């Protein structure tokens, strides 16, 4: 059965946080996860208001799985946990930057980051 949007929230999202985030038509916002200590980009996940509230309340990064249609916390099955350090919205509120401390691999393939080894271009720098 398909999930309906927006999903009911059980964790309350603070009004000032809700006002700062622009969820898409499906009630979701992309969340870029970055390693807090190295600035390495680890992965991209999707959050709805509930996942965002759970992340802020519990300190463990929580996402909404679009394919499985359920909430998931990074590391619940793999042990590769993401501990929240900070969270910010971009200038127009339609993307989140999650700074976290990653324990183990961030990618489901076992790689440290989801952006390993799949370069699409090798641009040498800005033209002068």
């Amino acid at each position: 059965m398909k999930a309906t949007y927006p999903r009911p929230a059980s964790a309350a999202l603070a009004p000032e946080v809700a006002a700062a985030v622009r969820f898409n038509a499906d009630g979701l916002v992309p969340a870029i996860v970055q390693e807090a200590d190295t600035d390495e980009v680890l992965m991209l996940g999707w959050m709805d208001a509930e996942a965002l509230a759970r992340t802020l309340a519990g300190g463990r990064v929580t996402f909404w799985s679009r394919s499985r249609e359920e909430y998931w916390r990074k590391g619940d099955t793999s042990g590769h946990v993401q501990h929240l350090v900070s969270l910010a919205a971009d200038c127009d509120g339609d993307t989140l930057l999650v700074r976290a401390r990653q324990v183990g691999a961030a990618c489901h393939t076992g790689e440290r980051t989801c952006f390993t080894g799949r370069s699409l271009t090798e641009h040498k720098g800005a033209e002068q």
Side-chain angles (χ1 to χ4, degrees), residues 80-101:
H80 300 167
V81 177
Q82 291 173 345
H83 298 284
L84 179 67
V85 172
S86 65
L87 196 144
D90 73 346
C91 59
D92 56 1
D94 65 357
T95 303
L96 301 177
L97 178 62
V98 178
R99 293 180 52 80
R101 291 211 168 80

Side-chain angles (χ1 to χ4, degrees), residues 3-126:
T4 57
Y5 300 99
R7 289 167 290 285
S10 61
L13 191 58
E16 64 274 11
V17 175
V21 179
R22 283 190 12 209
F23 297 95
N24 68 18
D26 291 330
L28 301 170
V29 63
I32 300 165
V33 182
Q34 183 180 40
E35 172 57 55
D37 296 326
T38 65
D39 294 336
E40 179 180 32
V41 176
L42 299 173
M43 61 171 285
L44 170 81
W46 292 89
M47 291 184 176
D48 64 359
E50 173 77 11
L52 180 53
R54 288 182 187 190
T55 297
L56 292 170
R60 290 266 311 276
V61 183
T62 303
F63 300 100
W64 173 256
S65 171
R66 295 173 303 159
S67 60
R68 295 188 314 266
E69 297 184 350
E70 65 184 14
Y71 294 102
W72 61 281
R73 282 191 321 175
K74 191 64 159 169
D76 278 352
T77 56
S78 67
H80 300 167
V81 177
Q82 291 173 345
H83 298 284
L84 179 67
V85 172
S86 65
L87 196 144
D90 73 346
C91 59
D92 56 1
D94 65 357
T95 303
L96 301 177
L97 178 62
V98 178
R99 293 180 52 80
R101 291 211 168 80
Q102 177 71 45
V103 176
C107 186
H108 72 283
T109 65
E111 294 290 334
R112 171 79 181 154
T113 170
C114 292
F115 298 97
T116 301
R118 297 194 65 185
S119 176
L120 302 178
T121 183
E122 292 192 25
H123 187 62
K124 301 284 187 208

